[in-house]
Amino acid sequence: MAKKKFGMVSVMMASVLALTACGGSDSDSSGEEGGSGETYVLQAGHSLPDDHPYHIGFLEMAEAVEERTDGQVTIEVFANSEIGAERELTEGMGLGTVDLVVSSTAPVTNFVPELGVLDVPFLFQDRESAVEILEGDIGDELFAKMEENGIIGLSWGENGYRHITNAVRPIETPEDLEGLKIRTQENEIHLAAFEALGAQPTPMAWTEAITALQQGVVDAQENPAIVADQFSLYDANQQYMSLTGHVYSVAIYMMSQQTYDELPEDLRDIVVEEGQKAGARERDLIVEMEQESLQTLKDNGMEIIEDIDTAPFQEAVEPVYETIEHQDLLNEILEAQ
């Protein structure tokens, strides 16, 4: 259903792009920078609420771009999977029907498998190590791989550390996950990790997950605290949150290569420059809002299990490391810390 909806939206979006970015005016196409005052409307999408740092990062980017281009480029930002869930948005960039996206890396691995390494549990020692690696040579190499697939990486953001919530019992050890039906992202590494932990992972888009939790189709899910807060998971049978921090959830601000190619060089450079600033701003917001979200969850009756020994969890998922396709990249990241 979501795909069909996105297909319809894509047609509409393609029409908008055709009227705006692809010669919708009668101006000449001599190739001069900035054309002759032609305006461009870019559409940016993501899957989270409009008060999430993803969205705020895009809004700040949009404001700066509009100001610096004197209104020649405007960016419309759509939250809550309004123009597609993360996988559909990523597909849309490759097709040129979506201009800008911020997404966790998991859905993007379907198009750039190397990014899957970033979803390995307990990969990074801490947030600082993650940022240093992603903003260094390794991150540049991954952006180059994305470009081969029609997607330009603008900057690295994050969605915080992923934790487990559930409706059954407190999770303090891997044994507590035994038999638990848990919604995961549509990502092979996440599936393998939760199978290794004894759970029953059920991959599905986030747009379907809330209903599944409410109806008891699945018992659990794993996401950063800010997501649990903004989607009021305490109203979706989620009584417990265990701060496992099993994955540092990397996110990326991205641009369609087709959109990049269609913009005049001077305007394109401004969009890219502002997009390169978005990730760092967004990360700062995540850190600031994370503690606030944990408090909100507590205030609404969710039990937060904080002092968890993660060593047994790390040991349980260790066999997953051996199944990772891109071993050289995995080892490069591990050795860089």
Side-chain angles (χ1 to χ4, degrees):
M1 180 63 73
K3 211 159 196 174
K4 183 176 180 185
K5 178 183 177 186
F6 177 72
M8 293 167 65
V9 172
S10 295
V11 172
M12 177 187 74
M13 289 166 64
S15 301
V16 170
L17 281 170
L19 290 170
T20 55
C22 303
S25 73
D26 294 327
S27 62
D28 66 74
S29 55
S30 60
E32 294 181 7
E33 289 191 359
S36 56
E38 189 172 354
T39 59
Y40 300 83
V41 179
L42 308 183
Q43 295 189 314
H46 63 90
S47 65
L48 295 175
D50 60 11
D51 55 351
H52 188 278
Y54 278 7
H55 195 80
I56 297 168
F58 259 147
L59 291 180
E60 291 183 358
M61 176 183 172
E63 183 179 356
V65 166
E66 186 168 5
E67 182 179 336
R68 289 185 61 192
T69 62
D70 295 322
Q72 275 190 270
V73 180
T74 57
I75 299 173
E76 299 175 343
V77 188
F78 297 89
N80 286 313
S81 303
E82 188 177 347
I83 58 173
E86 288 183 330
R87 181 186 172 97
E88 296 158 336
L89 289 170
T90 307
E91 288 174 344
M93 277 188 297
L95 296 169
T97 55
V98 180
D99 302 301
L100 297 158
V101 173
V102 58
S103 168
S104 60
T105 54
V108 193
T109 60
N110 294 294
F111 311 93
V112 185
E114 289 84 354
L115 286 169
V117 174
L118 302 180
D119 288 302
V120 171
F122 306 106
L123 176 66
F124 298 109
Q125 288 181 2
D126 50 39
R127 180 178 267 113
E128 290 72 24
S129 297
V131 172
E132 184 178 346
I133 287 167
L134 292 170
E135 294 194 339
D137 292 342
I138 291 173
D140 291 345
E141 291 167 15
L142 290 169
F143 274 0
K145 291 288 184 184
M146 289 168 57
E147 201 164 330
E148 293 171 11
N149 288 269
I151 300 169
I152 293 174
L154 297 173
S155 56
W156 298 98
E158 67 166 81
N159 197 13
Y161 280 93
R162 302 184 79 86
H163 306 299
I164 299 167
T165 71
N166 84 100
V168 180
R169 55 183 171 266
I171 304 298
E172 297 180 10
T173 68
E175 288 73 24
D176 295 327
L177 282 165
E178 192 68 38
L180 211 64
K181 291 181 288 186
I182 183 168
R183 175 267 172 185
T184 67
Q185 291 180 301
E186 297 166 287
N187 177 284
E188 291 301 321
I189 294 173
H190 287 198
L191 287 170
F194 278 100
E195 284 174 359
L197 287 164
Q200 295 179 21
T202 305
M204 65 179 72
W206 186 242
T207 45
E208 303 165 21
I210 303 295
T211 303
L213 291 166
Q214 289 171 337
Q215 296 178 348
V217 175
V218 292
D219 307 306
Q221 65 85 52
E222 47 89 45
N223 253 311
I226 192 169
V227 174
D229 168 17
Q230 293 186 326
F231 285 92
S232 304
L233 293 190
Y234 42 80
D235 290 332
N237 298 319
Q238 300 301 280
Q239 298 176 46
Y240 309 98
M241 169 172 273
S242 299
L243 303 187
T244 51
H246 51 278
V247 171
Y248 172 74
S249 189
V250 180
I252 317 175
Y253 280 88
M254 300 170 278
M255 182 178 187
S256 163
Q257 178 76 55
Q258 189 168 317
T259 303
Y260 177 90
D261 293 340
E262 288 167 351
L263 284 171
E265 185 177 352
D266 60 334
L267 301 181
R268 175 176 74 202
D269 288 348
I270 290 170
V271 174
V272 170
E273 285 168 15
E274 293 304 326
Q276 289 171 338
K277 299 173 187 176
R281 290 181 188 142
E282 187 270 348
R283 287 198 306 268
D284 288 344
L285 283 168
I286 285 282
V287 172
E288 181 183 322
M289 295 173 71
E290 210 162 28
Q291 292 305 313
E292 295 172 10
S293 289
L294 283 170
Q295 188 59 52
T296 300
L297 295 172
K298 289 178 184 177
D299 291 346
N300 282 275
M302 189 177 283
E303 182 181 335
I304 310 296
I305 298 92
E306 300 187 45
D307 298 320
I308 293 178
D309 179 7
T310 59
F313 290 86
Q314 294 180 39
E315 187 178 340
V317 300
E318 214 167 273
V320 176
Y321 279 48
E322 298 168 12
T323 70
I324 302 302
E325 183 180 351
H326 300 280
Q327 286 288 317
D328 290 347
L329 177 58
L330 173 63
N331 290 328
E332 192 178 355
I333 291 173
L334 292 173
E335 290 165 10
Q337 300 177 76

